[in-house]
Amino acid sequence: ENAEFKELMASDSAAKELLGFAKNRLNKFYNPKLYAAPPKRELTEDAFVQYHRGAPPPAPETFGPYTKKSSETGGVIAMIDLLIRDLEKEMTEADVMEKDAQGEYEKVMAESSDKRAADSKALTQKGAMKASTEEALESEKESKAGSIQELMTTSEYIAALHEECDWLVQYYDERKEARASEVESLGNAKAVLSGADFSLLQRTSAFLARH
């Protein structure tokens, strides 16, 4: 759009310059007081090239260089002025539209920039959240692995206790009988020892009495 605007402004400027040149040439012959002598440099060739298709035809020969037809000439000049005003209006409108378009473009670009910044921030936050989640997941895996290992150790210990308890239950009666036998043997031994001590005491007392 900017290229079209520049092309339009260049074309309208060339047309306006060309119409001004034609108006001034007419004034030279028909309204000398309004004639403005151009600078030494002639109208640029680019102006003719850019507007060559829409260039107005040369002044009719019927006017003649020295023939004064004020009404007809005034009509031609008025038409040129109208064309110039139309061109100026078109250029003004185009300039306003271009500024509006430029402002809208800058607004869109600013909004796009803000959106990109927001998206980048959101992406960074999501990346940090993902990293945190992955770290928590890894920690949870390690904790789970430790819990499983602890559970296995506990299970093994319980199994060992269970085997020991089973052995104790299985041989309880035998152990009980063996223990009772041991207690009985100890009692018998004690009784024997007690009887031997009493006999010895009696013999010792008798011996002392005789002597």
Side-chain angles (χ1 to χ4, degrees), residues 180-197:
S181 178
E182 289 178 1
V183 170
E184 184 179 358
S185 298
L186 288 173
N188 293 333
K190 183 177 180 182
V192 171
L193 291 174
S194 295
D197 291 341

Side-chain angles (χ1 to χ4, degrees), residues 1-6 8-9 90-106:
E1 294 182 358
N2 186 262
E4 294 179 358
F5 167 74
K6 291 180 178 180
L8 175 65
M9 295 297 285
E90 183 179 40
M91 293 172 69
T92 300
E93 292 176 350
D95 185 59
V96 172
M97 291 177 65
E98 173 63 18
K99 288 180 179 178
D100 290 344
Q102 183 64 26
E104 186 67 23
Y105 172 77
E106 292 176 355

Side-chain angles (χ1 to χ4, degrees), residues 128-146:
M129 185 180 298
K130 179 183 178 183
S132 177
T133 303
E134 290 178 348
E135 183 178 354
L137 180 61
E138 188 65 26
S139 177
E140 183 66 21
K141 287 181 179 178
E142 293 177 358
S143 177
K144 183 178 179 181

Side-chain angles (χ1 to χ4, degrees), residues 167-185:
W167 185 85
L168 290 174
V169 170
Q170 181 179 357
Y171 295 101
Y172 174 75
D173 293 336
E174 296 178 6
R175 285 167 57 88
K176 183 178 179 181
E177 292 177 359
R179 179 63 178 167
S181 178
E182 289 178 1
V183 170
E184 184 179 358
S185 298

Side-chain angles (χ1 to χ4, degrees), residues 74-207:
V76 173
I77 292 177
M79 183 178 65
I80 292 176
D81 288 337
L82 180 61
L83 292 173
I84 291 175
R85 285 195 297 271
D86 287 343
L87 288 172
E88 289 175 345
K89 180 181 179 181
E90 183 179 40
M91 293 172 69
T92 300
E93 292 176 350
D95 185 59
V96 172
M97 291 177 65
E98 173 63 18
K99 288 180 179 178
D100 290 344
Q102 183 64 26
E104 186 67 23
Y105 172 77
E106 292 176 355
K107 180 181 177 181
V108 171
M109 291 301 294
E111 291 177 351
S112 299
S113 178
D114 293 341
K115 187 177 184 303
R116 285 195 299 271
D119 291 344
S120 177
K121 183 178 179 181
L123 183 61
T124 301
Q125 291 176 344
K126 288 181 179 179
M129 185 180 298
K130 179 183 178 183
S132 177
T133 303
E134 290 178 348
E135 183 178 354
L137 180 61
E138 188 65 26
S139 177
E140 183 66 21
K141 287 181 179 178
E142 293 177 358
S143 177
K144 183 178 179 181
S147 298
I148 292 174
Q149 182 62 36
E150 183 178 355
L151 179 60
M152 291 177 64
T153 303
T154 303
S155 298
E156 292 175 357
Y157 176 72
I158 292 174
L161 286 177
H162 193 275
E163 290 180 0
E164 185 175 351
C165 290
D166 290 343
W167 185 85
L168 290 174
V169 170
Q170 181 179 357
Y171 295 101
Y172 174 75
D173 293 336
E174 296 178 6
R175 285 167 57 88
K176 183 178 179 181
E177 292 177 359
R179 179 63 178 167
S181 178
E182 289 178 1
V183 170
E184 184 179 358
S185 298
L186 288 173
N188 293 333
K190 183 177 180 182
V192 171
L193 291 174
S194 295
D197 291 341
F198 180 74
S199 297
L200 179 61
L201 179 62
Q202 285 181 338
R203 287 196 298 270
T204 303
S205 297
F207 178 77

